[in-house]
Amino acid sequence: MYYNPFYYPAIPPNQVYPTYTLNAPIPRMYPPVDINIFETSVKTFRLLMAQGSILLDRLGDAQFSRKVMSAAQQGKQTEVDQLIKSIGLRVPVQSRFTPTGVNFTLATHPNQLQSVNCCTLTIAMKWGR
């Protein structure tokens, strides 16, 4: 005869689980939808897209892009920032570059109601191998 030295049985008893029907959805309560913030974000992002288009048009100029790439190749971040600032965009632009590419991040200004900006547009382009 086998003697179990432990308090717990060797084979646990069958547990009773609640029975759920597989096709019955679990009722959930969702708050009402408020699209005011989303509408503001869409309008703001359109501004970012327009400013991004201006940036791309200016970078399409061969002389300007040569100046930007030359300053970036020499590691002159302030000069690259000054060149991008000279375009006259209405939103702040952060530029980050590597030997193989460049990233421009356009962000909105935070307003009085929100402490953080709502939208960010990042333009990533390759310029080397």
Side-chain angles (χ1 to χ4, degrees):
M1 183 150 139
Y2 177 73
Y3 172 71
N4 185 1
F6 302 106
Y7 176 74
Y8 298 105
I11 300 173
N14 291 338
Q15 296 190 6
V16 178
Y17 294 104
T19 57
Y20 296 108
T21 58
L22 296 176
N23 296 332
I26 299 173
R28 296 189 178 154
M29 298 297 294
Y30 295 106
V33 175
D34 181 18
I35 63 167
N36 291 331
I37 295 174
F38 189 62
E39 284 180 336
T40 304
S41 295
V42 168
K43 290 176 186 174
T44 305
F45 203 79
R46 287 183 188 198
L47 169 70
L48 288 179
M49 293 288 285
Q51 295 296 299
S53 179
I54 293 170
L55 174 66
L56 290 176
D57 288 343
R58 187 69 174 117
L59 289 172
D61 179 26
Q63 272 188 321
F64 185 77
S65 61
R66 185 169 281 117
K67 287 180 187 177
V68 171
M69 286 183 70
S70 175
Q73 185 178 10
Q74 297 170 15
K76 298 179 180 178
Q77 179 72 44
T78 55
E79 188 174 334
V80 172
D81 291 340
Q82 285 296 338
L83 287 168
I84 298 302
K85 199 175 221 181
S86 72
I87 297 172
L89 299 175
R90 298 186 308 178
V91 295
V93 179
Q94 288 182 335
S95 58
R96 253 187 17 190
F97 48 86
T98 64
T100 58
V102 63
N103 289 344
F104 296 106
T105 304
L106 289 77
T108 58
H109 295 290
N111 60 16
Q112 291 82 14
L113 300 176
Q114 296 174 338
S115 60
V116 295
N117 54 1
C118 77
C119 308
T120 303
L121 173 65
T122 302
I123 300 171
M125 293 183 291
K126 186 173 180 173
W127 66 15
R129 293 184 185 176

